[in-house]
Amino acid sequence: MLRYIIGRLLSILLTFFVVSVIVFLMMHSVPGGPFDGNDMPVSDAVKAKLNASLGLDKPLYEQYLRYMWGVLHFDFGVPFQSPGETVTELLARAWPPSLILGGSGVLIGAPLGILMGMAAAMRRNTWFDYVVSAFSTLGLTIPVFVISMMLIMVFSVWLNWLPAGGWEKPYSWILPITAYAAVPMATYARYTRSAMLDVMNKPFVTVLRAKGLSERRIIFQHVLRNAALPLVTVFLPMFIGTATGSIFVEAMFRVPGLGAYFVSSITLRDYPLEMSLILMITMMFCVAYLISDIVYALLNPRIRFGGKS
Amino acid sequence: MTRTRSPLYFALRRFADNKAAVVSALILGVILLMAIFAPLITPTGYADQAYLTEGLAFPSAQHWMGVDDLGRDFFTRIVYGARVSLSIGFSAALFAVLIGIPLGAIAGFYGGWADWFVMRLIELFSVVPPLLAAMLLGALTNGGFFTIVLIASLFGWVQVCLLVRAQVKAFREKEFVRAAQALGASPGYIIRRHLIPNSISPIIVGFVLAIPLAMMLEASLSFLGIGVPPPVPSWGQMINVGMNFMYFYWHLAVFPTLALAVTVLATTLLGDGLRDALDPTMKGR
Amino acid sequence: MTAPVLELRNLSKTFQLPRKGGWFAGYIDHHAVRDVSLTLPRNTILGLVGESGSGKSTTGLMTMRLMEPTSGRILIDGADISALTPAALKPYRRQMQIVFQDSYSALDPMMTLARIVAEPLHIHGIGTPDDQTEQALAMLDRVGLHRSYGQRYPHELSGGQRQRVAIARALILRPKVLVADEPTSALDVSVKAQIINLLLDLQQEMGLSILFISHDLSVVRSLTDRVAVMFNGRIVETAATETIFSDARHPYTQGLLSAIPVLNPRDRRPRRFLTAEEIERGIPRLPGAGTSPALVQVAPDHLVEAVAG
């Protein structure tokens, strides 16, 4: 077990290292630094001085090492677009709306999705099952900004019940959270339904029925326990995955969160901010996968831990 | 003598029983035909500002989907948008399959170091959210058709590769592979003649399911303004513009939204249906 | 006396299994096959019998060079093929072929029977594609499947028919040696007899020599000229078939024989189930034998494993 965890940890670290190098190289391989834009004419001498003050004149590997050294100390550098603060301060300012949005979206969406998936699996091939399936397919396939668009059209433009954007009043949070919850809800509805059906088709469930156990007890004591494994393992990666969707939800509803900064960091060639955002999300994914793998191994006694076959 | 039936025949029969998948295939077929014959069914070119005096007009008998803010027939724009969306979807899926098949086959067949390497490569692509990477690459290269195809196939091959790898791994131990080895067949021959033909189901499924992912990526990038550059119409870009007008001119937001939703949904349902038909054991996943 | 068509000399296979307890625990050697020597004279059938796990299938796979032996040599017509590269081995592949137990997985489900049977010709580049198909159809006919079966797929056939196809594929190159790895174990009794008869016919017609691997002693008795008994990776007794059935000396052979089901209840003998320890303890003790178990001649052409005692 320990061997398995150490192996996973090493491979995740390697992956993270490779991603960070690739991202770093990509950011620097493009022609043009932050001061090359036409909207900010700067003389060559000033430009050289600015580049030197930001460490942009050093060899690439040294810049990389310096940067990663800082990252280890939570020092992500200074964002070009607002030099008055550090990236860490900027992110700290931008986190709360994104966290409220993402947290409540997942906390509302996931349980609802599980309930819907369970109900659909228990009423297989009824209209309810079809509605849940159609809904979850929609939620998984249609881009988040399209879902946001539809919500705005219906609830803001036609019905005029809720504001189409902003973050000031709590009731303006309702639409973005709904848009955000759609993906976890759809994911969980689909996973729960298929995981339960998988288990319900296993011979041991037939045996339980033959034994005369009530359908309720079969579902709650036996099926759910066996179906829970895949559900646990998708949770963390999905949670982080919704972070990507936040860019669009935040853009659509004009929420002052991380998403807005991500978009501006890219268009403004803001290396430090861009790097730190990508690295942070990659790091969260790495940790999420690692935890998922470990949880999966702990919960599933049958997993084989490598070895020569 | 009874007619002989290849394994694919039964898959086709199972597919025909799946109503949602058949309807999706029909819808996708219609959209595909409209995209191919776009010049024949639209009144103007996609960038012609032929109706400036009627700018922002609502849908009518003459302009089925109205006119946009720059005086262009909106139906024309939507139809040409399908061209962009579908061609990006299909070419990205094609490249994804071309990358995924050999890597999956090699990883599954040889195992060991080859497998380790491919799995680390896949891990690399699974910890970086495709959209963020796409935004970064899109911004670095200023978008464009080929960049989007490149990014989408770069992230789309993983699924194909995993499916092919699993299939090859399962079939590598089969005795017909042993029999071919006993005949002196080389690994390349066995992969080409036995293992890849037996992976045709996961390859088809992987191909079809890579299409909506690429279309979504394109729409998302274009929505952010780093996708297909105007005036070439892209649904994502049109939704972005439509947002600015949605309180008064609903058609500019509604039609591209619907077009994108219907196309992506139809492709996904088609892929799900194919998967259920080709591999009944994978049903419902 | 002419050289045997197939000879195995001191063939051994050792698998390394990881020891429990983490990284530094090392490996345990598992001796699947130890020091097996066999000769297969031209135009004869040699039975290799033993329970599952006795190493008989491993021996068959090593004979075909489908698995690399840890040590020992394989000679075809006196030529040592145990160290040849795949390219150098290819001509010898024409002289030895194999039929497997599981006829379902032995045929590629995506190919028609004509293509399956023609494949050996294709791999060895013999004849034009039309020739190859024609020869394949003739071979199908020879094994008792009408030429029209050429266009069919494996899933349309019964188990016995599939095994006929596998035999056709193995014999189309007219090999000298056929390794038959439990070809009848998965078949019904009536079909089993048909396949045995087919093998006997083909053996006489084509001058084949067959290494017939089986745990089914009644089949072995009706088919083979000589028998080698394997236990725990070693050969423990070899003799002419009738000698084995009338005068078995090794406790394991005796145990195997007593396990043959007898139809008439009045002829039933008490069965003897021996544990592995009992067998090891019961190894015959002969004056001329060495201190560790080895094969000793007890009668003309009858070898038994024995120790000094």
Side-chain angles (χ1 to χ4, degrees):
Chain A
M1 185 65 206
L2 191 65
R3 179 182 168 165
Y4 173 78
I5 293 174
I6 293 174
R8 292 295 306 145
L9 188 66
L10 287 177
S11 108
I12 283 285
L13 280 177
L14 178 72
T15 305
F16 181 69
F17 170 73
V18 174
V19 170
S20 69
V21 170
I22 292 175
V23 172
F24 189 82
L25 287 180
M26 261 174 31
M27 305 288 318
H28 286 261
S29 66
V30 277
F35 311 112
D36 287 352
N38 292 329
D39 48 335
M40 210 202 282
V42 200
S43 77
D44 283 356
V46 175
K47 204 188 282 180
K49 206 174 154 195
L50 272 169
N51 278 342
S53 74
L54 292 165
L56 295 177
D57 56 340
K58 299 268 178 7
L60 260 187
Y61 74 92
E62 202 185 317
Q63 286 188 42
Y64 172 78
L65 287 178
R66 271 167 46 135
Y67 182 77
M68 290 310 285
W69 182 248
V71 167
L72 287 179
H73 298 86
F74 295 100
D75 172 14
F76 293 92
V78 175
F80 293 159
Q81 56 179 291
S82 100
E85 57 185 344
T86 64
V87 169
T88 318
E89 284 162 359
L90 188 151
L91 292 181
R93 190 156 50 79
W95 260 116
S98 297
L99 201 64
I100 293 173
L101 202 57
S104 35
V106 171
L107 289 182
I108 294 169
L112 275 178
I114 292 177
L115 285 177
M116 283 166 62
M118 274 172 60
M122 287 162 72
R123 293 175 178 70
R124 202 181 175 183
N125 294 332
T126 59
W127 64 269
F128 183 80
D129 183 23
Y130 295 137
V131 169
V132 169
S133 292
F135 174 81
S136 61
T137 312
L138 272 169
L140 278 176
T141 48
I142 295 175
V144 178
F145 65 89
V146 174
I147 296 175
S148 310
M149 186 81 228
M150 290 170 165
L151 286 174
I152 294 176
M153 288 303 291
V154 173
F155 292 99
S156 304
V157 179
W158 287 343
L159 299 176
N160 203 12
W161 287 354
L162 292 162
W167 191 247
E168 297 75 34
K169 303 171 212 90
Y171 68 80
S172 60
W173 298 0
I174 295 175
L175 279 189
I177 288 178
T178 309
Y180 212 123
V183 175
M185 184 150 68
T187 311
Y188 261 121
R190 196 176 164 102
Y191 267 96
T192 309
R193 179 178 174 277
S194 77
M196 289 213 12
L197 287 180
D198 263 3
V199 179
M200 282 159 83
N201 288 331
K202 291 257 164 69
F204 86 89
V205 175
T206 315
V207 171
L208 292 176
R209 284 207 186 95
K211 242 168 67 177
L213 232 58
S214 73
E215 201 67 14
R216 259 178 87 109
R217 278 189 69 180
I218 293 177
I219 296 284
F220 285 99
Q221 286 196 347
H222 298 275
V223 174
L224 268 184
R225 203 196 293 181
N226 281 282
L229 190 58
L231 300 184
V232 172
T233 52
V234 293
F235 183 77
L236 272 177
M238 185 196 67
F239 187 74
I240 315 286
T242 44
T244 320
S246 75
I247 295 170
F248 293 101
V249 178
E250 290 177 13
M252 294 290 301
F253 294 98
R254 296 193 305 280
V255 176
L258 280 181
Y261 284 102
F262 199 90
V263 175
S264 66
S265 78
I266 280 182
T267 48
L268 297 175
R269 293 228 166 92
D270 189 346
Y271 299 153
L273 186 56
E274 160 95 47
M275 269 288 277
S276 27
L277 283 168
I278 290 196
L279 284 187
M280 264 172 21
I281 290 185
T282 303
M283 194 143 55
M284 289 196 297
F285 260 114
C286 289
V287 173
Y289 277 120
L290 186 64
I291 294 176
S292 290
D293 285 348
I294 293 171
V295 168
Y296 186 78
L298 285 176
L299 289 182
N300 188 352
R302 286 170 307 178
I303 193 171
R304 287 184 300 134
F305 295 128
K308 218 175 156 189
S309 52
Chain B
M1 200 193 104
T2 53
R3 221 158 57 80
T4 71
R5 280 155 180 180
S6 86
L8 288 179
Y9 169 85
F10 294 99
L12 212 64
R13 282 252 314 250
R14 282 194 293 271
F15 181 79
D17 287 342
N18 184 340
K19 283 188 213 88
V22 172
V23 170
S24 300
L26 288 177
I27 291 175
L28 200 63
V30 169
I31 298 174
L32 203 62
L33 286 177
M34 284 172 69
I36 292 171
F37 297 108
L40 301 180
I41 55 169
T42 56
T44 60
Y46 63 76
D48 295 350
Q49 293 170 288
Y51 310 100
L52 274 172
T53 50
E54 301 165 62
L56 292 170
F58 283 105
S60 61
Q62 199 204 343
H63 302 295
W64 296 350
M65 294 184 182
V67 179
D68 78 356
D69 53 325
L70 298 176
R72 299 173 293 197
D73 179 54
F74 211 51
F75 174 70
T76 308
R77 305 270 301 159
I78 293 281
V79 170
Y80 276 95
R83 252 190 185 188
V84 171
S85 199
L86 287 173
S87 53
I88 285 182
F90 275 87
S91 30
L94 187 70
F95 283 117
V97 166
L98 288 181
I99 304 172
I101 291 176
L103 283 178
I106 288 171
F109 186 77
Y110 289 101
W113 277 101
D115 193 34
W116 186 89
F117 181 77
V118 171
M119 288 313 280
R120 291 293 79 75
L121 210 57
I122 286 176
E123 199 167 83
L124 205 66
F125 282 94
S126 61
V127 295
V128 182
L131 200 62
L132 298 194
M135 285 170 69
L136 175 56
L137 272 172
L140 293 183
T141 56
N142 293 321
F145 187 92
F146 291 104
T147 314
I148 296 173
V149 170
L150 178 83
I151 300 167
S153 45
L154 217 53
F155 283 89
W157 69 270
V158 170
Q159 178 82 349
V160 181
C161 180
L162 283 174
L163 289 171
V164 171
R165 173 179 171 271
Q167 187 82 348
V168 166
K169 233 176 157 173
F171 274 74
R172 179 186 61 177
E173 302 297 331
K174 294 252 174 176
E175 285 170 342
F176 68 81
V177 171
R178 281 263 163 92
Q181 284 168 338
L183 288 163
S186 64
Y189 174 94
I190 290 171
I191 291 175
R192 266 197 333 274
R193 292 266 298 199
H194 291 290
L195 295 176
I196 290 182
N198 273 290
S199 307
I200 191 73
S201 313
I203 290 171
I204 293 174
V205 172
F207 175 80
V208 177
L209 289 180
I211 296 172
L213 288 181
M215 294 195 300
M216 261 166 75
L217 197 71
E218 182 274 322
S220 308
L221 288 181
S222 297
F223 175 79
L224 291 173
I226 45 179
V228 179
V232 176
S234 147
W235 293 335
Q237 182 200 103
M238 289 154 83
I239 294 173
N240 192 7
V241 175
M243 272 175 66
N244 302 328
F245 295 95
M246 69 187 169
Y247 282 97
F248 307 106
Y249 304 101
W250 54 272
H251 58 289
L252 293 189
V254 166
F255 288 121
T257 308
L258 282 182
L260 182 61
V262 168
T263 311
V264 170
L265 192 64
T267 324
T268 308
L269 287 177
L270 172 67
D272 284 352
L274 281 173
R275 182 191 50 209
D276 291 350
L278 288 167
D279 186 354
T281 58
M282 281 166 60
K283 193 164 182 126
R285 260 166 226 214
Chain C
M1 194 183 147
T2 53
V5 67
L6 169 71
E7 189 178 352
L8 306 181
R9 282 191 197 158
N10 311 104
L11 217 51
S12 294
K13 179 71 188 179
T14 307
F15 291 106
Q16 294 201 312
L17 306 176
R19 203 186 288 268
K20 272 190 184 167
W23 268 327
F24 304 108
Y27 294 94
I28 316 171
D29 286 347
H30 172 70
H31 301 281
V33 172
R34 326 179 194 202
D35 203 23
V36 163
S37 297
L38 282 175
T39 54
L40 178 62
R42 199 171 303 278
N43 238 328
T44 61
I45 302 181
L46 171 66
L48 186 58
V49 303
E51 63 198 2
S52 39
S54 62
K56 56 190 197 305
S57 286
T58 309
T59 307
L61 290 176
M62 285 194 290
T63 306
M64 293 300 300
R65 285 278 314 265
L66 287 174
M67 188 184 279
E68 291 307 313
T70 310
S71 64
R73 300 205 289 158
I74 304 146
L75 287 83
I76 296 284
D77 254 343
D80 188 349
I81 63 157
S82 36
L84 295 180
T85 61
L89 190 61
K90 202 170 171 183
Y92 289 97
R93 294 264 186 223
R94 289 185 60 174
Q95 303 185 17
M96 48 178 195
Q97 275 306 308
I98 185 163
V99 174
F100 295 101
Q101 170 180 1
D102 180 2
S103 64
Y104 195 78
S105 78
L107 307 178
D108 188 332
M110 299 296 280
M111 286 189 175
T112 60
L113 301 190
R115 268 186 76 194
I116 290 172
V117 178
E119 191 181 23
L121 302 170
H122 177 81
I123 290 176
H124 285 272
I126 301 166
T128 64
D130 285 348
D131 284 350
Q132 292 171 358
T133 308
E134 179 49 38
Q135 277 197 57
L137 294 179
M139 196 67 211
L140 277 176
D141 202 39
R142 178 63 200 85
V143 297
L145 293 172
H146 187 263
R147 298 169 66 95
S148 62
Y149 276 76
Q151 292 313 305
R152 295 204 175 191
Y153 287 90
H155 69 85
E156 299 174 291
L157 305 186
S158 69
Q161 287 174 322
R162 284 197 296 266
Q163 203 56 285
R164 286 172 193 268
V165 176
I167 291 171
R169 173 180 56 192
L171 296 185
I172 198 166
L173 288 172
R174 310 212 149 250
K176 294 175 182 162
V177 178
L178 179 70
V179 174
D181 189 357
E182 308 221 23
T184 59
S185 314
L187 302 176
D188 294 344
V189 181
S190 59
V191 181
K192 199 182 275 191
Q194 292 170 15
I195 297 292
I196 300 281
N197 286 333
L198 177 66
L199 276 176
L200 272 174
D201 286 352
L202 290 167
Q203 188 249 338
Q204 273 153 28
E205 186 184 310
M206 303 173 78
L208 262 181
S209 312
I210 303 179
L211 177 61
F212 190 85
I213 300 171
S214 179
H215 61 258
D216 185 341
L217 287 175
S218 48
V219 171
V220 168
R221 187 172 200 173
S222 62
L223 188 66
T224 61
D225 302 301
R226 287 179 56 77
V227 173
V229 181
M230 272 191 94
F231 168 69
N232 206 1
R234 328 185 290 262
I235 303 264
V236 295
E237 188 160 8
T238 71
T241 305
E242 275 322 301
T243 315
I244 288 283
F245 281 86
S246 59
D247 186 24
R249 300 289 181 88
H250 195 275
Y252 180 68
T253 316
Q254 291 164 352
L256 270 187
L257 289 173
S258 76
I260 302 177
V262 177
L263 276 182
N264 187 340
R266 253 172 275 167
D267 294 344
R268 248 175 220 168
R269 293 150 296 178
R271 287 192 180 189
R272 296 171 54 200
F273 295 106
L274 297 175
T275 64
E277 289 74 29
E278 280 173 324
I279 293 168
E280 300 285 2
R281 262 190 273 119
I283 292 176
R285 300 185 181 269
L286 296 174
T291 47
S292 57
L295 287 173
V296 173
Q297 185 152 4
V298 293
D301 199 28
H302 188 174
L303 300 177
V304 175
E305 183 184 60
V307 284

